[in-house]
Amino acid sequence: MSQVSNILSRDMDLFYNDLDEKYKISDTSDEINLVADFTEYNPLHNGHFHCMKTAKHMFPDSLFVAVVPGLFERSGRGIPYILPRQIRAEIAISVGADIVVEGPPMGVMGSGQYSLCLCKMFKALNTDHIPRGYKPVEAMDEILKRINMGHHIAPKPYKIVDRTANEILLRGKLEEDNYVITSFSNSLSKIGFDYKGKFIFVERIGGVSGTLIRESIINDNFDNVMDMMPPKTIEVLKREIKNDGIIYGVRDVERILDTANNYSFDQLAKLNLFNEKLAQNIIDNRHYDDIEGIENAILQGFSSHFRQRVLSILENPIPKKTISDYIDAYPSVIRVLGYKNDDCLEKFKKKVNNENISLF
């Protein structure tokens, strides 16, 4: 089996083990301030580093916890990550994080689903502050102000609504980073988490290009991006390139083809993100010899990343009912991917309200 096949098989076992676990409320509580940042670190660049440093400077005595998406190693866009999560955690710890915990399986969920999971993780961690990068655009200052007032801000198709004040704050769409902030507000409100004054909004810095960073990794040439990432990130990337540890864009093609070619209509229709129309379209265009043929059969969804997410579902065929049960129980287990030292780990265990804490 390939490295990616091994990762997916292992993570499927973890997924169903987590599904069977019962959430155990912890009776202990520590007064230490906990800052929880959700970031993919794909890879960790100076924008991420700036957000981390800003939060740590504001709350120097806090425990900084990075929530890094985990299971199945697929991003919110449905695309395989550059590095497995334990390596992303290694970099995060090396540049200042105290604890790194595994976040939800983004690539096999819709954006609203993983936003809800992330917010349930913030609640489970007893989070005191949530740093988040944003882009300064029209109406964003007012949106951020309302969120830190504790208002329920909700993204709707082509508008942003303050449900607390019953006002439309923006007509139109927000870019991805800004949209995520409003999605968090919406999900945190749904689970009853009081986030008034908890967000630390950090304006995004310039000079970082994800496209150039990815090209540098593919070409194993970092000359043009040396100033975009902390030295530790570049060091680890070079090491993983040498060790064939880069998984960016690598899929389990055999598994995808097997699902697309052999699942029945009912099996396909029950998969997460699928509906009957998509299932029928997959069946009508059989037989598939390559991923390109499957992509052409996937109907375009609301998100521009819909096709890649569907490929991730075909790669990890989980029914929507199972995903729903997983979300209801989330986080049944808090999996620690890395930690600075034993003292930080003990403080973390006392702070969170879930006894099911395990080391990856």
Side-chain angles (χ1 to χ4, degrees):
M1 295 178 71
S2 69
Q3 179 191 13
V4 168
S5 297
N6 286 332
I7 288 172
L8 297 183
S9 294
R10 175 203 65 195
D11 285 359
M12 189 65 79
D13 289 339
L14 288 173
F15 175 88
Y16 279 100
N17 287 339
D18 291 351
L19 190 62
D20 290 337
E21 278 285 348
K22 301 298 181 185
Y23 195 110
K24 295 180 182 177
I25 299 295
S26 174
D27 293 329
T28 62
S29 181
D30 197 294
E31 294 303 315
I32 189 169
N33 197 65
L34 188 147
V35 178
D37 182 23
F38 160 71
T39 317
E40 294 181 272
Y41 293 150
N42 189 38
L44 192 153
H45 55 59
N46 285 345
H48 302 131
F49 192 35
H50 173 67
C51 191
M52 179 190 293
K53 288 189 295 182
T54 299
K56 286 171 69 70
H57 177 74
M58 291 177 66
F59 300 98
D61 297 325
S62 295
L63 198 66
F64 188 96
V65 180
V67 182
V68 173
L71 295 171
F72 310 119
E73 300 295 356
R74 300 304 180 250
S75 73
R77 300 180 180 186
I79 299 171
Y81 283 120
I82 291 168
L83 294 167
R85 58 192 180 274
Q86 67 269 27
I87 307 299
R88 288 181 280 142
E90 174 193 342
I91 297 172
I93 294 293
S94 74
V95 300
D98 297 306
I99 303 285
V100 180
V101 300
E102 180 184 276
M106 293 182 68
V108 297
M109 290 181 167
S111 58
Q113 292 176 320
Y114 69 71
S115 176
L116 185 59
C117 282
L118 283 168
C119 291
K120 293 181 76 172
M121 176 63 82
F122 290 144
K123 187 174 183 178
L125 296 177
N126 277 328
T127 302
D128 296 292
H129 297 285
I130 305 169
R132 193 69 207 172
Y134 76 97
K135 292 181 180 180
V137 296
E138 178 191 0
M140 200 61 200
D141 283 347
E142 183 63 23
I143 291 171
L144 300 183
K145 185 181 83 173
R146 298 287 186 97
I147 289 173
N148 258 343
M149 289 169 63
H151 285 213
H152 181 177
I153 307 302
K156 300 293 183 182
Y158 304 106
K159 62 183 177 182
I160 304 298
V161 178
D162 182 339
R163 297 186 65 178
T164 302
N166 195 25
E167 295 178 35
I168 296 175
L169 301 181
L170 175 69
R171 293 191 182 275
K173 296 176 68 175
L174 287 173
E175 292 187 44
E176 189 168 340
D177 286 353
N178 291 351
Y179 178 88
V180 167
I181 292 171
T182 60
S183 183
F184 280 170
S185 170
N186 191 37
S187 296
L188 288 168
S189 296
K190 287 181 178 179
I191 64 172
F193 185 77
D194 182 8
Y195 52 89
K196 182 179 180 180
K198 288 187 181 291
F199 277 96
I200 305 168
F201 294 119
V202 182
E203 184 174 336
R204 286 187 58 176
I205 62 173
V208 177
S209 168
T211 299
L212 286 179
I213 290 173
R214 286 187 289 273
E215 287 177 357
S216 74
I217 295 166
I218 292 169
N219 298 323
D220 191 11
N221 184 342
F222 295 89
D223 291 347
N224 295 326
V225 297
M226 295 296 290
D227 295 332
M228 296 183 187
M229 295 177 282
K232 182 63 177 182
T233 298
I234 296 174
E235 174 190 325
V236 171
L237 285 170
K238 288 181 175 180
R239 182 193 76 196
E240 293 304 309
I241 289 171
K242 183 178 179 180
N243 295 334
D244 292 325
I246 302 296
I247 60 172
Y248 177 64
V250 182
R251 290 194 178 276
D252 188 337
V253 176
E254 185 176 340
R255 188 179 302 193
I256 293 172
L257 292 174
D258 180 66
T259 304
N261 283 320
N262 297 314
Y263 266 44
S264 69
F265 170 81
D266 286 341
Q267 287 176 310
L268 287 172
K270 289 178 180 178
L271 293 180
N272 201 41
L273 306 185
F274 271 68
N275 56 30
E276 291 186 354
K277 188 175 182 180
L278 175 57
Q280 191 60 57
N281 221 49
I282 294 288
I283 287 175
D284 288 345
N285 287 278
R286 285 173 174 170
H287 180 83
Y288 301 104
D289 296 314
D290 53 41
I291 286 182
E292 184 179 359
I294 299 174
E295 286 189 51
N296 291 335
I298 298 173
L299 304 168
Q300 183 60 53
F302 178 74
S303 165
S304 59
H305 312 305
F306 182 70
R307 286 191 174 95
Q308 293 301 319
R309 285 181 177 173
V310 170
L311 287 180
S312 291
I313 285 290
L314 292 171
E315 196 174 28
N316 305 281
I318 303 174
K320 53 175 70 76
K321 174 62 167 63
T322 304
I323 289 286
S324 178
D325 292 342
Y326 179 85
I327 294 170
D328 287 344
Y330 191 84
S332 60
V333 176
I334 296 179
R335 203 156 16 246
V336 176
L337 301 177
Y339 57 97
K340 182 179 178 180
N341 53 46
D342 290 340
D343 182 55
C344 287
L345 183 61
E346 287 307 307
K347 289 178 179 177
F348 174 78
K349 289 179 177 179
K350 290 178 181 178
K351 174 70 175 180
V352 304
N353 65 5
N354 190 335
E355 289 185 1
N356 291 342
I357 299 174
S358 66
L359 301 182
F360 183 69

